[in-house]
Amino acid sequence: MAIPISCLPIYRSYVESQEQVSLAYKDQAKWTRMSILNVARMGKFSSDRSIKEYCDEIWKAHPLPVKLGKYTIG
């Protein structure tokens, strides 16, 4: 696989970062801790919230009820 010329200046950094990821992944306790902290620190962002804001503020779209057999959502 050829690497585009525009990527060459950052390729070394990418490889070094991937090596660090591989080492961290091999240590299950470290990887689990890093994963949990990453999720805990991500704050308010979520794709659901972003989509809802677009619907409310940009598209002015509102949810519709969906009937699923004996259950109703909405």
Side-chain angles (χ1 to χ4, degrees):
M1 176 172 124
I3 300 167
I5 288 229
S6 61
C7 294
L8 288 177
I10 61 169
Y11 186 68
R12 179 179 299 239
S13 175
Y14 168 79
V15 170
E16 290 169 355
S17 294
Q18 283 303 120
E19 288 172 356
Q20 291 176 345
V21 169
S22 294
L23 286 173
Y25 188 75
K26 288 178 183 178
D27 182 342
Q28 189 176 18
K30 180 178 182 177
W31 185 261
T32 300
R33 183 176 189 279
M34 288 171 61
S35 299
I36 291 169
L37 288 174
N38 187 46
V39 171
R41 292 175 179 156
M42 72 182 195
K44 188 178 175 185
F45 178 82
S46 81
S47 58
D48 290 343
R49 180 188 58 84
S50 296
I51 292 167
K52 183 176 182 332
E53 286 179 2
Y54 266 81
C55 287
D56 294 343
E57 299 169 16
I58 296 170
W59 302 322
K60 308 296 184 209
H62 304 286
L64 298 173
V66 176
K67 292 185 181 184
L68 301 173
K70 64 180 181 174
Y71 299 99
T72 301
I73 299 174

